[in-house]
Amino acid sequence: MAIESLIPVIEKKEPKMNTLTIEQETNPWEAQAARFDFAAKKLNLDQGIWKVLRYPAREIIVHIPVGMDDGSVEVFTGYRVQHSIARGPAKGGIRYGPDVSLDEVRALASWMTWKCAVVNIPFGGAKGGVICDPKKMSQGELERMTRRYTAELIEFIGPEKDVPAPDMGTDEQTMAWIMDTYSMHMRQTVTAVVTGKPVNIGGSRGRREATGRGVSVVCDQALKHLGMSIEGCRVIVQGFGNVGSNSAKILADKGYTVIGIAEYDGGLYNANGIDVPALIAHRKAAGTIVGFAGAEAADKDELLTYECEILIPAATENVITSLNAAKLRCRILCEGANGPTTTVADDILEDKRIFVIPDILANAGGVTTSYFEWVQDRMGYFWTEAEVNQRLDSIMTESFSDVMAYAKSHSVNNRIAAYMLAIDRVAYTTKQRGMYA
Ligand code: NAD
C-alpha cells in the first residue's frame, strides 16, 4: 500500500478489531501499527510525521553463506530493520530463531523506538534477526554465521549508527563475536558497537539481570499505585530464560511469592512458593524445568489462567489472544516479553479491568542498562553494580509515573498512554530537527 494512501484508511479504522482472523490478530507488525495509529490519532499527530513514524526508515535483508561442520555450505536469511534514528543511534536486539520474519523484526524495531522514548534514553529503534535454529547448530556454525551477518551489515552498524544487543536465541557470546568482527574491520577494538557483552570485554555489571530487575521495579510501583502489598502477592511467570528467570528471582528476593512457572515443555505450580534459585540450578543441570522436585507439574497453557496477583509473560509474542484473554485471573499483567498481548486481547483485558504494564515500559530495563553499557564503553570508565542498579531503578520508577500521568490526563489505558508518551517525544524531536524531505 502506498504510504500516501494510509491516512484515510487509518481514520476509518476502528481500534477494536474483533473481526480479525487469528492469523491477522497475531501479526506483530499489524499489532504494533494498530496501537500506533490509535495513539497517534489521540495525539492528533501531524499527518506528515504520522507517515514518517509509521514505517521503518531502513530495512536490510542479507543472505548469509555459512560453512557447516559437515563441509557443506548453507545460506541463511537475515534482517536488520532500523525504524528511527530521530533521538539517537538505532538500538535493538538480534534474534535467532526458525520463525523469524520481516514483519516480526519490523514490529520489534518500532517497539524499540517507543521503548527508548518511554524511558527517555537517547536512542532510536532497530531490530535484527536471522532465520535459523540455533539449538540445532554447533558453536562453530553459530560463530561463522554471526561473523558473516556482522560483515554484511558492517557499514550500517556502529556506536553512532546502530547498536545491536542480544534477544531470543542470542547471548553474551554472540555479542562478543559481533564486537570482534566489527573491530577487525575497523582495525581497532570498538566495544560500544554492541551491548550485552561479557563484563570483561566492555559489558556492564547488572546487564544480564537488568530486564528482570526493571520488571520487578514496575511491579513494585504497580502495587503501590493500586494500594496492594508485596506480602501475599502471588506471581506466575511464563518463560524461564533471561527475562523470566531473573524476574522470578528478583521478585522472590523482594518477598513476592512465585507460585507458577510455564516453559515451552511444561509448567510448575506450588501454592507456597517455588524456590527460584533451586529451580535455576535444576534447569542448568537438567536442561529443563520439568521434573523439579519443589513443585507439582502443571499444564503450561492452563497456568496463565490460574488465580494470581501478577502474571508475567516473559517468553514470546502472542501468548494472550482472543482465545484465552477472557480466562485470565490476574490483577496485574506485567509484560516481560515483547508483544505478548494482541490488540483484540487488550480490549478484553480492559473490560476485565486487569492492570496492564505494557511491554514498552515493563521490559525497558534491558535497554536502559544497555544504554549504561554504551555510555561506560565510550567513557572507558565502569560503574559498580550498585551504581548501575540504582540508576536503573530511578529511571524505571520515573517512567512508570510518566506513563501513569499520561493515562490519567488523557483518559486512556496504560498501553495507549505509553505509546502516546513515546510518540509525543519522538515527534517533538523530529519536528525540532526539521525534516530533510
Ligand atoms: P530467552 O531465550 O533467554 O528465554 C525465553 C524463554 O522462553 C526460553 O526459556 C524458552 O524456552 C521459553 N519459551 C519460548 N516459547 C515459550 C512458550 N510458548 N511458552 C513457554 N515458554 C516459552 O529470551 P529472553 O531474552 O528472556 O527474552 C524473552 C522475551 O523478552 C522476548 O520477547 C524478548 O524480546 C523480550 N525481551 C528481552 C530482553 C532481554 O534483555 N533479554 C529485553 C527486553 C525484552
Side-chain angles (χ1 to χ4, degrees):
M1 184 192 293
I3 291 181
E4 302 75 57
S5 61
L6 264 172
I7 301 299
V9 176
I10 292 159
E11 286 189 335
K12 271 185 240 145
K13 191 151 76 182
E14 284 292 314
K16 295 196 182 218
M17 300 188 298
N18 301 352
T19 52
L20 297 181
T21 63
I22 192 73
E23 286 74 26
Q24 289 166 323
E25 183 189 335
T26 54
N27 180 312
W29 170 249
E30 295 299 336
Q32 186 284 140
R35 272 94 173 231
F36 170 80
D37 290 341
F38 189 57
K41 193 172 179 180
K42 280 257 166 207
L43 279 170
N44 205 13
L45 191 68
D46 170 271
Q47 305 260 301
I49 293 191
W50 188 326
K51 287 185 235 176
V52 171
L53 299 184
R54 197 176 193 274
Y55 280 93
R58 181 184 272 158
E59 301 180 346
I60 304 155
I61 303 178
V62 292
H63 300 289
I64 318 157
V66 178
M68 305 302 279
D69 289 349
D70 65 4
S72 65
V73 170
E74 201 52 73
V75 176
F76 296 90
T77 298
Y79 308 105
R80 185 75 187 166
V81 174
Q82 296 167 345
H83 174 260
S84 168
I85 54 165
R87 287 169 46 92
K91 184 87 192 77
I94 294 172
R95 179 173 285 196
Y96 288 172
D99 303 327
V100 166
S101 69
L102 187 53
D103 262 359
E104 180 188 53
V105 178
R106 266 187 195 133
L108 289 159
S110 314
W111 279 324
M112 286 306 298
T113 303
W114 312 135
K115 194 182 299 184
C116 292
V118 165
V119 286
N120 214 358
I121 57 176
F123 284 135
K127 204 80 179 189
V130 179
I131 306 170
C132 64
D133 191 345
K135 290 197 181 96
K136 293 192 180 141
M137 294 169 72
S138 71
Q139 280 294 98
E141 289 167 345
L142 282 171
E143 177 173 353
R144 291 190 290 278
M145 185 180 81
T146 301
R147 287 187 183 279
R148 183 64 191 251
Y149 174 68
T150 308
E152 294 296 331
L153 294 177
I154 209 79
E155 61 266 63
F156 300 106
I157 60 172
E160 308 295 338
K161 294 180 180 175
D162 179 359
V163 185
D167 194 75
M168 288 169 73
T170 56
D171 56 17
E172 291 179 3
Q173 179 60 70
T174 323
M175 296 306 113
W177 290 328
I178 295 177
M179 191 278 274
D180 184 67
T181 309
Y182 185 82
S183 297
M184 291 299 106
H185 282 263
M186 296 299 131
R187 320 304 289 168
Q188 63 188 45
T189 294
V190 186
T191 53
V193 64
V194 281
T195 58
K197 299 178 293 294
V199 170
N200 58 307
I201 51 168
S204 176
R205 294 182 180 88
R207 173 61 184 89
R208 194 180 295 162
E209 302 81 14
T211 310
R213 176 168 298 281
V215 163
S216 81
V217 174
V218 292
C219 285
D220 294 345
Q221 293 306 311
L223 291 194
K224 221 189 255 180
H225 183 82
L226 297 170
M228 295 163 66
S229 91
I230 288 182
E231 204 187 329
C233 183
R234 296 163 300 172
V235 179
I236 295 178
V237 182
Q238 181 197 43
F240 203 59
N242 176 298
V243 180
S245 68
N246 283 304
S247 299
K249 184 173 177 306
I250 296 167
L251 286 169
D253 285 347
K254 287 183 172 184
Y256 292 75
T257 311
V258 178
I259 59 166
I261 305 277
E263 255 294 333
Y264 74 98
D265 56 351
L268 295 172
Y269 179 74
N270 183 341
N272 298 318
I274 293 170
D275 178 344
V276 179
L279 179 59
I280 291 172
H282 170 89
R283 160 117 183 209
K284 205 168 173 196
T288 171
I289 65 163
V290 176
F292 177 62
E296 60 195 66
D299 183 276
K300 65 182 170 66
D301 299 320
E302 293 287 310
L303 259 179
L304 301 188
T305 65
Y306 280 26
E307 194 179 291
C308 62
E309 277 65 45
I310 306 182
L311 175 65
I312 305 178
T316 186
E317 291 107 67
N318 299 321
V319 292
I320 297 161
T321 68
S322 54
L323 303 177
N324 64 356
K327 296 187 203 151
L328 261 50
R329 286 187 291 156
C330 56
R331 175 70 187 92
I332 297 167
L333 178 73
C334 180
E335 297 182 336
N338 285 311
T341 310
T342 66
T343 317
V344 184
D346 263 350
D347 293 337
I348 300 170
L349 300 182
E350 195 166 358
D351 291 345
K352 285 172 70 79
R353 302 181 62 77
I354 290 178
F355 186 87
V356 176
I357 313 175
D359 48 6
I360 56 174
L361 168 65
N363 69 38
V367 75
T368 301
T369 303
S370 275
Y371 164 56
F372 298 156
E373 181 173 332
W374 178 78
V375 168
Q376 292 169 82
D377 284 341
R378 285 151 46 107
M379 281 198 298
Y381 178 72
F382 290 85
W383 310 339
T384 63
E385 189 165 347
E387 280 174 296
V388 170
N389 291 346
Q390 183 264 318
R391 287 175 210 253
L392 173 61
D393 287 8
S394 86
I395 288 186
M396 294 304 295
T397 304
E398 197 175 321
S399 306
F400 181 90
S401 116
D402 287 350
V403 171
M404 290 307 111
Y406 239 83
K408 194 167 174 202
S409 61
H410 292 83
S411 302
V412 289
N413 68 34
N414 296 344
R415 188 183 314 282
I416 296 303
Y419 269 79
M420 288 174 74
L421 170 65
I423 294 167
D424 214 5
R425 284 180 175 159
V426 181
Y428 181 79
T429 309
T430 306
K431 250 190 244 162
Q432 207 172 34
R433 287 177 61 152
M435 203 96 67
Y436 188 12

